[in-house]
Amino acid sequence: MRVFVAINSSEEERARLDAATSPLRGAGYPIRWVPTSNVHLTLKFLGDVPEEQVPEVSSAVDAATAGIEPFDMTVHGAGAFPSPRRPSVVWVGIEADERLAGLQAKIEAALESIGFPREDRPFAPHLTIGRAKRKGARPPEFQGLDDALARLSYEDTFRVSAVDVMRSHLMPGGAVYEVVHGSRLEP
């Protein structure tokens, strides 16, 4: 099963994000917009994991989050990877403060201890809100996206109170996510 570790926001937080990004979603770019219910912050993508190993992954996440208190993360700014001229991913940014970076580092270390390799790239926290509909889309199709992203003056604070082990079901209409284990943040 395809597994990742994530921070999920509340329905209220997702609704505010959806309202703020609706002008961008309606601008006609060849982008497949992520359903609001699927927006999350990925802390670690594990890929295909045997179902019998998921309890071990869950225990590692529990150990990594033990003693961490709930905290707020700031969501602001928007952009695209690798660039707005040739985007593959459109995102809303998250401030990488020490609490969030520390939580992600603990999860990375706990999962490395049970055999999952460390990520090569530095942690770049973001909420994916869209993906280009096809690879190789041409820059003229995204003309003005950089300005549209710059005009997105959204800023919010999301409460982080849990870290979830998630399962991704790949469907013809897009991925469907399921929480298979939740680790509550508590002092």
Side-chain angles (χ1 to χ4, degrees):
M1 66 201 281
R2 287 174 51 91
V3 176
F4 61 96
V5 179
I7 294 172
N8 286 300
S9 52
S10 71
E11 286 184 36
E12 180 182 297
E13 291 162 339
R14 288 176 179 166
R16 290 194 308 262
L17 178 63
D18 187 57
T21 59
S22 67
L24 186 62
R25 293 172 189 263
Y29 295 106
I31 295 170
R32 196 174 56 251
W33 298 104
V34 173
T36 305
S37 61
N38 280 4
V39 174
H40 64 274
L41 167 59
T42 300
L43 296 173
K44 176 76 174 170
F45 180 75
L46 302 175
D48 290 323
V49 174
E51 195 164 342
E52 59 273 6
Q53 193 177 11
V54 172
E56 183 181 20
V57 168
S58 299
S59 293
V61 172
D62 284 344
T65 59
I68 295 178
E69 295 184 20
F71 62 92
D72 291 333
M73 69 179 182
T74 302
V75 180
H76 64 88
F81 296 134
S83 78
R85 289 182 42 85
R86 288 192 183 267
S88 59
V89 171
V90 177
W91 50 263
V92 172
I94 295 177
E95 187 176 305
D97 72 6
E98 63 187 43
R99 294 167 298 181
L100 181 58
L103 172 63
Q104 192 275 337
K106 283 184 172 193
I107 288 170
E108 188 80 56
L111 292 169
E112 182 182 37
S113 75
I114 61 169
F116 293 94
R118 276 190 182 272
E119 184 64 46
D120 292 337
R121 298 174 296 199
F123 180 51
H126 64 279
L127 302 173
T128 297
I129 60 170
R131 291 180 176 23
K133 285 187 177 177
R134 62 190 177 283
K135 295 206 182 273
R138 302 173 54 74
E141 296 177 83
F142 298 103
Q143 186 173 359
L145 179 60
D146 50 352
D147 291 333
L149 291 168
R151 283 191 306 273
L152 186 66
S153 60
Y154 175 69
E155 185 165 336
D156 202 353
T157 301
F158 288 11
R159 187 73 173 157
V160 178
S161 57
V163 173
D164 297 319
V165 177
M166 306 286 295
R167 178 179 187 176
S168 175
H169 300 272
L170 299 179
M171 309 295 266
V176 175
Y177 301 138
E178 170 190 5
V179 176
V180 294
H181 177 78
S183 296
R184 302 283 313 155
L185 300 186
E186 300 176 310

